[in-house]
Amino acid sequence: MIIINNEIERLDFSREPRGLYEPIGYTLSGGGKRVRPTLALTACRLFGGQEESVLPVALALEVFHNFTLLHDDLMDKADTRRGRQTVWKKWDANTAVLSGDQMLIEAYKLLAQLPAEQLANVLPIFNRMATEICEGQQLDMDFEGMKLTEVSIADYMEMIRLKTSVLLASALQMGALIAGADEAAQEALYNFGIKVGLAFQIQDDLLDCFGDAATFGKPIGGDILEGKKTYMLLTAYQQGGEAFRTQLEALRTAMPANKIHNVCELYNRLGVRQRAEEAIETLTREALAFLNGIPQNEDTAALRSLAEKLASRNK
């Protein structure tokens, strides 16, 4: 992660007009775990590649990921991200749109630093990933206007596969590709990333209810107040049926703190927390199984450790 942070610090966003570039520097300086670029570097090393060869991909992934967060925060009207004001809140909505657009361009400029032959192989993967993330975001938005009865857990899992998992999976695939890994190995790492991403997002849903706001980086209960179709909400409906929906409707006008507390209590009574934890454990186990058919070294061990840490976050 040190090499990624150092390279990000070297990116120059002090250009004019400041209103366009300053929010980009602000966003990238906000920290984060740098999971996506770390996955690209780790996958590349795993197959004997040099970190320097995959840096354009790693940096492009981090810039692209933060671009999606910038726009996502605007669409969700989220006030904070990583314990700081979001761009649309610190500046305004127009700035969030335009600076986000420029971040997308900056990501492709970084990717274009690859040698032509590598770029020709990486670009289709990157483009597919970018398209699928947009598709996942649209599904998430569509779900907001749909009734609880109209969205299944399977629908939700497909949405988070697109919105969250494909970025992790593609980071791994592109890192392995740069190092010259064969298609079977690339596919194994891609599938590993998909499962890890699903576990990661369900854990995020869990933390929104039962996490610690001070370390989670955003207020607890945001998904509940927004009525978002999360794994927690859909599982509660699956478990409690119409009785749960009636109880949920009764809380519609409750004060925010009371609503969050009471919905979480409903989740506990219906065993939703346990169901979510079991799903995370199962997905993590399935993810780790995909690592069995690839070279076993310290980088494989690092991927195993990362999967376990992402799935057991208590922030």
Side-chain angles (χ1 to χ4, degrees):
M1 190 167 117
I2 294 176
I3 187 173
I4 293 298
N5 284 333
N6 289 342
E7 292 296 323
I8 287 174
E9 288 177 5
R10 290 175 57 189
L11 298 176
D12 181 16
F13 295 110
S14 61
R15 309 195 292 274
E16 295 290 341
R18 289 177 58 81
L20 177 66
Y21 291 105
E22 187 177 352
I24 298 176
Y26 172 83
T27 300
L28 292 173
S29 68
K33 298 179 178 65
R34 313 299 193 201
V35 172
R36 290 99 191 144
T38 298
L39 288 176
L41 265 64
T42 303
C44 186
R45 287 196 312 265
L46 197 160
F47 293 98
Q50 299 297 312
E51 286 187 340
E52 291 76 12
S53 66
V54 77
L55 274 177
V57 170
L59 292 172
L61 285 164
E62 186 65 7
V63 173
F64 180 89
H65 171 58
N66 279 274
F67 141 69
T68 67
L69 298 182
L70 195 152
H71 278 187
D72 196 36
D73 288 339
L74 173 60
M75 285 184 269
D76 289 345
K77 294 295 186 285
D79 291 343
T80 59
R81 166 77 65 177
R82 297 167 181 158
R84 305 195 308 171
Q85 281 187 305
T86 52
V87 166
W88 81 270
K89 191 70 175 178
K90 183 176 176 63
W91 281 274
D92 54 41
N94 289 341
T95 297
V97 171
L98 196 56
S99 293
D101 290 346
Q102 185 60 33
M103 287 183 78
L104 175 60
I105 296 167
E106 297 291 337
Y108 276 98
K109 286 165 64 177
L110 287 163
L111 203 64
Q113 295 175 9
L114 288 170
E117 183 178 346
Q118 288 185 345
L119 181 60
N121 292 323
V122 166
L123 193 57
I125 299 172
F126 198 93
N127 287 342
R128 180 191 66 195
M129 171 202 76
T131 293
E132 289 182 329
I133 289 172
C134 290
E135 291 171 350
Q137 179 67 12
Q138 183 63 54
L139 286 176
D140 195 16
M141 293 166 58
D142 289 346
F143 289 172
E144 292 180 12
M146 296 169 66
K147 297 178 182 177
L148 191 55
T149 55
E150 297 174 324
V151 183
S152 68
I153 292 177
D155 293 332
Y156 176 76
M157 296 299 285
E158 173 62 6
M159 184 272 288
I160 63 173
R161 182 189 73 81
L162 294 167
K163 185 175 176 179
T164 301
S165 292
V166 296
L167 185 49
L168 301 177
S170 298
L172 288 160
Q173 183 182 4
M174 288 186 285
L177 187 156
I178 293 293
D182 62 31
E183 290 186 7
Q186 291 179 41
E187 183 178 2
L189 282 183
Y190 185 88
N191 289 329
F192 165 79
I194 290 294
K195 295 292 185 178
V196 167
L198 295 175
F200 178 88
Q201 185 57 56
I202 295 175
Q203 182 74 342
D204 209 59
D205 292 353
L206 182 65
L207 292 174
D208 184 76
C209 300
F210 301 107
D212 178 357
T215 51
F216 191 35
K218 52 185 176 180
I220 298 302
D223 290 343
I224 292 171
L225 296 180
E226 294 170 21
K228 289 182 72 70
K229 309 296 191 300
T230 64
Y231 186 88
M232 310 295 286
L233 180 61
L234 295 170
T235 301
Y237 178 66
Q238 184 184 69
Q239 294 293 102
E242 291 303 312
F244 166 75
R245 194 164 62 142
T246 299
Q247 291 172 307
L248 191 65
E249 179 62 23
L251 294 169
R252 185 169 59 86
T253 59
M255 295 293 291
N258 290 336
K259 182 173 183 178
I260 293 168
H261 173 77
N262 289 327
V263 171
C264 288
E265 283 297 307
L266 286 174
Y267 287 167
N268 278 328
R269 287 204 297 272
L270 291 168
V272 171
R273 183 171 188 169
Q274 181 180 350
R275 285 281 301 277
E277 289 171 345
E278 289 171 352
I280 293 164
E281 182 180 347
T282 297
L283 288 163
T284 303
R285 185 170 60 251
E286 292 172 349
L288 295 174
F290 282 110
L291 298 181
N292 294 335
I294 63 176
Q296 302 298 305
N297 54 36
E298 61 183 15
D299 291 306
T300 320
L303 290 178
R304 292 181 185 278
S305 177
L306 180 63
E308 291 164 354
K309 285 179 182 177
L310 289 178
S312 61
R313 294 173 297 153
N314 56 8
K315 294 183 178 180

